[in-house]
Structure formats: C-alpha cells, structure tokens
Amino acid sequence: MTSPHLPAQPAPDRSAPVPVPWAVVGGLAALALLWPLTGLTGTLGTGAPRALTIVGITAVVWIGVVGLGRVPRPVLTLTLTGVAYGLVAHAVALLVPVLGGFGGPGGGPLWTIVPALLFEAMWGALAGLAAAGVQRLRGSGR
C-alpha cells in the first residue's frame, strides 16, 4: 500500500512584519465606554474614585488580554489601543456632551485632543511594556 504524499508546506516567512491585531485594538479601546456608562448608571461613584477604578480596570484588562493572550507586538498594539481609546473618549464627549467625558462637557477645547492622545499613547505603551513582560514570563514555562 502506498501512502499519499502531501505537498511540502512552505516555511513561514520570518522576515515579514507581523500585522497589528486591529480587532484587539478596537475591542480594548472600547473600554473607553466605561466612563459614560458608569456616569449614566451611577455605578462606581463620582470623581477621583470612579476615575481611578476605571483606569485600574482598563489597565488590568489591557495587560491581561495582551500579556496572557500572547498578542503579537504588545507595545505597538497597546500604544495604538491607547490612541484609539482617546479617540473613542473624545468622540463620545463630542457626540453626547451631557455625558461629559474627558475634558468636561463637549470634550473641552479642540487643541487638547493632541496632548490627550499623546498621553493615551504613552499610557498604552507602558501597558504594552507590562504585557510584554507577562508574555516573557509565560514564555519561560513553555
């Protein structure tokens, strides 16, 4: 009896850049909706406790999903997630001024968008470094 030969699989091209997982970026950026949702429902209180809770939840989810999920290019992925998070937050503040959001009702002066996006990108990059560390720690066990 002869065995059928399967065609040889081409070796993966290691020189090609790994694409950014845009679905992950979009999904994690959607956490910006926690701010208006908690404002509408009254959960998590108001002021600094609410803001710190949302920041903490967001950071834990970002680092957990990217670090434990072995998402490629964690620093770039979460840096872009930070920028997308800021865009979502500003869009909500502009579209639904009653919800406030970042910069108060209406999102604040237009010039504040660039510094805010830079801050969100920096926050995402720091979370990406933490997620890369989680990936590195998990990789040692495999």
Side-chain angles (χ1 to χ4, degrees):
M1 195 171 207
T2 61
S3 63
H5 293 285
L6 297 175
Q9 296 292 327
D13 184 10
R14 303 253 185 239
S15 64
V18 178
V20 173
W22 291 107
V24 173
V25 170
L28 293 176
L31 286 174
L33 298 174
L34 283 176
W35 186 260
L37 289 175
T38 58
L40 285 172
T41 61
T43 55
L44 302 180
T46 60
R50 174 177 159 219
L52 291 173
T53 302
I54 291 172
V55 167
I57 289 169
T58 301
V60 167
V61 170
W62 284 9
I63 294 167
V65 167
V66 173
L68 299 175
R70 297 193 182 277
V71 174
R73 301 169 76 179
V75 176
L76 177 62
T77 298
L78 286 179
T79 300
L80 293 172
T81 298
V83 173
Y85 181 98
L87 290 172
V88 170
H90 280 286
V92 168
L94 289 171
L95 295 174
V96 191
V98 141
L99 297 178
F102 301 108
L110 193 57
W111 67 268
T112 62
I113 291 176
V114 172
L117 292 179
L118 289 173
F119 178 79
E120 298 294 346
M122 180 194 68
W123 181 39
L126 290 173
L129 288 171
V134 169
Q135 287 183 353
R136 210 167 286 119
L137 286 173
R138 289 202 65 217
S140 63
R142 282 190 163 185

